[in-house]
């Protein structure tokens, strides 16, 4: 990542600052729904920050929808076609990016109807969730969180990467998921999320984050 100056901050203050930054954000394609990425390995818990920003937007009178890529996993038969710990499959084939384009980003394009499917597949039951569509009003924000987000060319107006050092990532990743660390090393090499994201949050110590944004 090189030398990057980061400023200490609290999670509450970070949520407020990000929400304030989003208030005047306009979609680059002329649509009505700004789309924000909260990128990070599961151990970095980008969902927590997305939900914190959603709450900060709510008190400011702005609607948002938090969506996780975990709800758009492919069926187990496809994810585990080459074994339960295939790094290449995790990197390229676990998440149904086609469904994300169709069910999440498509409705938020110019001329879209704003009806977003919040999730599609339950990895625990390995069945479709059958969740109802959610109507996101014009001016509402999509807050999408998940790993490896910045390598798919999704049309985000703002990208936030929650970073863990290699040591912290290893310590905070459960033992059954340690095999995924190779995929995140590749992601760092090929995509450089810390260098390319609009906002960088370092969360090695979950009690004391630091940021650049």
């Amino acid at each position: 990542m090189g030398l990057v100056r980061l400023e200490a901050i609290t999670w509450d203050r970070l949520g407020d600052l990000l929400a304030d930054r989003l208030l005047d954000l306009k979609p680059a394609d002329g649509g009505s729904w700004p789309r924000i990425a909260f990128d990070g390995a599961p151990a970095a818990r980008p969902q927590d920050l997305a939900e914190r920003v959603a709450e900060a937007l709510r008190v400011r009178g702005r609607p948002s929808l938090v969506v996780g890529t975990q709800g758009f996993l492919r069926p187990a038969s496809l994810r585990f076609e080459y074994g339960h710990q295939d790094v290449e499959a995790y990197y390229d084939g676990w998440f149904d990016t086609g469904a994300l384009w169709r069910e999440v980003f498509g409705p938020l394009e110019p001329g879209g109807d704003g009806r977003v499917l919040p999730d599609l597949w339950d990895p625990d039951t390995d069945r479709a969730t059958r969740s109802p569509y959610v109507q996101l009003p014009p001016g509402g924000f999509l807050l999408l969180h998940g790993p490896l987000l910045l390598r798919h060319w999704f049309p985000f107006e703002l990208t936030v990467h929650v970073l863990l050092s290699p040591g912290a990532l290893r310590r905070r990743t459960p033992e059954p998921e340690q095999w995924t660390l190779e995929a995140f090393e590749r992601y760092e090499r090929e995509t450089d999320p810390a260098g390319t994201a609009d906002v960088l949050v370092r969360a090695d110590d979950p009690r004391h984050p630091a940021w650049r944004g």
Side-chain angles (χ1 to χ4, degrees):
M1 184 178 67
L3 294 176
V4 177
R5 183 180 295 275
L6 300 175
E7 177 184 353
I9 195 169
T10 66
W11 288 112
D12 286 341
R13 178 63 174 155
L14 179 58
D16 286 338
L17 288 175
L18 288 176
D20 287 339
R21 181 168 176 175
L22 298 186
L23 293 180
D24 296 323
L25 196 63
K26 303 297 182 184
D29 60 9
S32 300
W33 300 275
R35 299 147 296 192
I36 319 302
F38 292 84
D39 175 63
R45 302 188 64 82
Q47 176 180 356
D48 292 353
L49 183 55
E51 292 176 345
R52 192 180 295 271
V53 171
E55 175 59 20
L57 287 169
R58 185 191 66 80
V59 301
R60 288 161 172 76
R62 295 293 296 273
S64 64
L65 177 63
V66 178
V67 175
T69 58
Q70 188 72 11
F72 287 85
L73 287 171
R74 288 193 168 98
S77 60
L78 298 178
R79 298 200 311 275
F80 303 138
E81 182 178 2
Y82 302 104
H84 281 65
Q85 297 186 358
D86 187 276
V87 175
E88 190 72 22
Y90 180 75
Y91 194 72
D92 283 324
W94 271 40
F95 297 96
D96 192 341
T97 55
L100 283 165
W101 279 106
R102 182 179 67 252
E103 303 290 359
V104 177
F105 288 100
L108 304 182
E109 293 177 348
D113 60 12
R115 293 179 69 249
V116 175
L117 189 65
D119 52 60
L120 179 65
W121 200 259
D122 185 337
D124 294 325
T125 63
D126 201 35
R127 295 177 181 272
T129 58
R130 303 188 184 280
S131 295
Y133 284 85
V134 175
Q135 185 70 52
L136 189 60
F141 296 89
L142 169 69
L143 309 179
L144 181 69
H145 63 84
L148 313 174
L149 279 180
L150 305 187
R151 58 181 298 266
H152 296 298
W153 300 100
F154 290 136
F156 295 116
E157 273 64 59
L158 187 79
T159 56
V160 180
H161 177 62
V162 185
L163 173 70
L164 295 178
S165 67
L169 179 59
R170 185 170 298 278
R171 289 192 302 273
R172 290 168 58 181
T173 299
E175 182 62 33
E177 300 171 16
Q178 289 275 316
W179 64 273
T180 64
L181 297 179
E182 185 178 336
F184 291 109
E185 292 172 2
R186 177 179 171 186
Y187 182 52
E188 293 288 339
R189 292 194 307 270
E190 295 184 354
T191 306
D192 185 24
T196 58
D198 299 306
V199 176
L200 176 64
V201 179
R202 187 152 197 164
D204 285 5
D205 182 343
R207 299 166 299 175
H208 304 291
W211 83 308
R212 178 215 69 205

